[in-house]
Amino acid sequence: MIRATLKIALLLLVATLHQPCNASGSDDQGSVTTFWPLFDYRTSPATNYSNLSLLGPIFKRERSGDTIRTAIRPLFFNQSSPDSDQSDILYPIASTSSSDSSSDTQILKLFQKHVSRTGTPEEKNETMFFPFYISGRSEKYGD
């Protein structure tokens, strides 16, 4: 009885493992391959989207256009695009973000660093290790 139930469950599992989003069979609409919560992969070439999830929400790798998001929850999250990058490590313990014009780093909101680039030779640096050290520097205004 147990063997028959396992065989039926395995057949149903294999039959539902690959479920295309469209009935026509073309890949323009995308596809879904899932064995949730262990594995879930979705793709849509028409919108330049793909998503891979492993172990439910624990691991995620998503691409939407030029933006890529990677997560190993609750340890790490990263979002990157051609003009910016943002990471969280054990949020809210530490985070970083950067773009063409600035970059920020913080650890426990006690240490914070901000660098601002305006496209000129002037670059502003601001650093804080609260409550012991606070500084800012500008080429134009000095320390």
Side-chain angles (χ1 to χ4, degrees), residues 122 138-143:
E122 179 181 345
S138 171
E139 295 293 326
K140 186 175 182 181
Y141 300 109
D143 292 338

Side-chain angles (χ1 to χ4, degrees), residues 27-105:
D27 285 339
D28 292 340
Q29 297 296 318
S31 65
V32 175
T33 304
T34 185
F35 182 52
W36 198 88
L38 300 176
F39 177 83
D40 185 71
Y41 180 72
R42 297 163 189 260
T43 183
S44 176
T47 60
N48 196 18
Y49 175 82
S50 67
N51 182 42
L52 171 65
S53 295
L54 300 173
L55 298 174
I58 304 264
F59 175 82
K60 179 178 183 172
R61 174 85 171 181
E62 178 183 40
R63 181 180 47 89
S64 179
D66 290 337
T67 303
I68 297 173
R69 294 175 191 90
T70 304
I72 302 173
R73 294 184 178 104
L75 305 173
F76 176 78
F77 173 79
N78 177 272
Q79 176 175 311
S80 63
S81 61
D83 57 344
S84 68
D85 187 52
Q86 177 182 356
S87 296
D88 294 319
I89 302 160
L90 286 172
Y91 181 82
I93 292 177
S95 66
T96 64
S97 65
S98 64
S99 66
D100 294 338
S101 61
S102 68
S103 66
D104 292 294
T105 302

